[in-house]
Amino acid sequence: MKIAVGTDDKKTIRKGYFGESRHYQIIELLNGEIVSREYRLNPYNEETADRHGHGQSEKVLQLLGDCSLFMAGSMGKKSMVKLVERHIDCIITEIEDIDEAVSEYLYGRESAFKYYDAKKGALIPCAQRMASRISPSE
């Protein structure tokens, strides 16, 4: 599994448009352990592209195509929808430090994250997502 995190300083999660991040830290997990980290330069960010980096979301999505989860500090609904269409789950957290956020995610601290539920078209608490996975479908 690979988690993508938008960052400008390679330490904290970016709060603004995900398509304008300077870098994406790609964290590869195997059996619940981090096995590698990679930084991908965003060639479409606001400093290197035209001043409308958020309009480059399709190109950014291609850059992150091998990831299965995107972790963000905030994100617009259109971006979340585009991620989900590419089978990339989207979670939002208030935790700013990337290492801390990934650690909390791995340890199952559901209260620190909200998940974008495409069926509801809204962010829901991760605990609610887990409960819906366990309960029988209607």
Side-chain angles (χ1 to χ4, degrees), residues 11-15 93-98 100-101:
K11 295 178 183 175
T12 58
I13 298 173
R14 188 176 204 287
K15 293 278 186 206
T93 184
E94 291 183 5
I95 300 171
E96 293 181 8
D97 182 80
I98 293 171
E100 180 184 350

Side-chain angles (χ1 to χ4, degrees), residues 4-6 13-14 18 70-75 90-94:
V5 183
I13 298 173
R14 188 176 204 287
F18 96 103
F70 188 84
M71 186 180 294
S74 65
M75 181 178 278
C90 182
I91 59 173
I92 305 298
T93 184
E94 291 183 5

Side-chain angles (χ1 to χ4, degrees), residues 2 6 18 27 34-35 38-39 47-48 56 63 70 73 77-78 93 95 101 110 112 119 122-123 132 134-135 137:
K2 289 185 181 178
F18 96 103
I27 302 158
I34 296 172
V35 294
E38 170 190 358
Y39 292 95
E47 293 177 1
T48 59
Q56 301 291 335
L63 184 69
F70 188 84
K77 186 173 180 179
K78 288 181 182 181
T93 184
I95 300 171
E110 296 171 355
K119 290 180 183 176
L123 288 168
S132 67
I134 295 169
S135 60
S137 58

